[in-house]
Amino acid sequence: MAAPEIERLIRLLARLPGLGPRSARRAALTLLERREQLLEPLAAALAETAEKVTVCARCGNLDSSDPCGVCLDPKRDASLICVVEEVADLWALERSGAFSGRYHVLGGTLSALDGRGPEQLRIATLVERAGDPAVKEVILALGATVEGQTTAHYIAERLQGTEVSVTYLAHGVPVGGELDYLDDGTLSTALKARRPA
Ligand SMILES: [Zn+2]
């Protein structure tokens, strides 16, 4: 058996997405064999990330400042809010360069099965932000899954009677934690072809 420190490292690595016990053991071994190039820089990066990176209280993005860089950037279009499920979706949209407004990260979807109601998601703060007269459009870039669409309809209903127009990404685009897998062109097209709720 390996030392308890190594066993602990393997157990933690195995909890990462895409890593089972076998690949976690290989990753741990690689780290230990490349102490200066990998293990020590990674340990420092983890400590620094844990200390500095926080959730933006306004939009739910992850950044080392709160409000985050996107919320603070005066060059971003304050009239557009793009609602996504996860930070990974925000990153995908940013990589595509197709969107220049601001974001709102819900932190998941409504799911009766998993006991996730509106209180578990950042919906109240979204409604509050949408009430700002500067905001003209809320784009719902949520998953094409049942949960994603249920969540989108719920939000559209909550925003009824406000001044903002609510739009969806072009139909049939798989989004919601899956924007990550789309190429930039598909994402841009889906954004341009958005339709009213
Ligand atoms: Zn933010």
Side-chain angles (χ1 to χ4, degrees), residues 126-187:
L126 172 64
V127 174
E128 196 183 310
R129 287 181 74 194
D132 183 332
V135 177
K136 302 292 178 217
E137 182 181 349
V138 170
I139 305 163
L140 300 172
L142 301 177
T145 57
V146 173
E147 286 89 357
Q149 291 312 297
T150 306
T151 310
H153 287 131
Y154 176 83
I155 292 172
E157 255 178 47
R158 288 281 304 263
L159 294 175
Q160 246 172 26
T162 67
E163 295 294 307
V164 293
S165 57
V166 179
T167 56
Y168 294 101
L169 287 192
H171 194 65
V173 175
V175 290
E178 293 164 13
L179 284 184
D180 229 8
Y181 300 105
L182 290 182
D183 63 274
D184 299 348
T186 310
L187 258 180

Side-chain angles (χ1 to χ4, degrees), residues 23-79:
S23 38
R25 279 196 296 274
R26 287 182 53 197
L29 199 56
T30 304
L31 286 167
L32 290 162
E33 284 168 353
R34 304 186 60 196
R35 196 181 181 96
E36 275 172 46
Q37 302 97 318
L38 276 177
L39 181 62
E40 285 167 7
L42 180 67
L46 287 172
E48 202 177 359
T49 305
E51 190 197 349
K52 291 189 179 160
V53 173
T54 180
V55 177
C56 174
R58 199 175 297 177
C59 77
N61 189 13
L62 291 166
D63 204 347
S64 48
S65 69
D66 178 16
C68 71
V70 177
C71 283
L72 287 177
D73 186 350
K75 292 196 291 293
R76 311 280 311 203
D77 186 346
S79 72

Side-chain angles (χ1 to χ4, degrees), residues 84-107:
V84 293
E85 290 175 21
E86 310 286 353
V87 173
D89 301 324
L90 185 160
W91 286 347
L93 281 158
E94 283 298 285
R95 276 201 311 274
S96 79
F99 184 67
S100 60
R102 301 219 162 104
Y103 294 96
H104 196 85
V105 183
L106 290 177

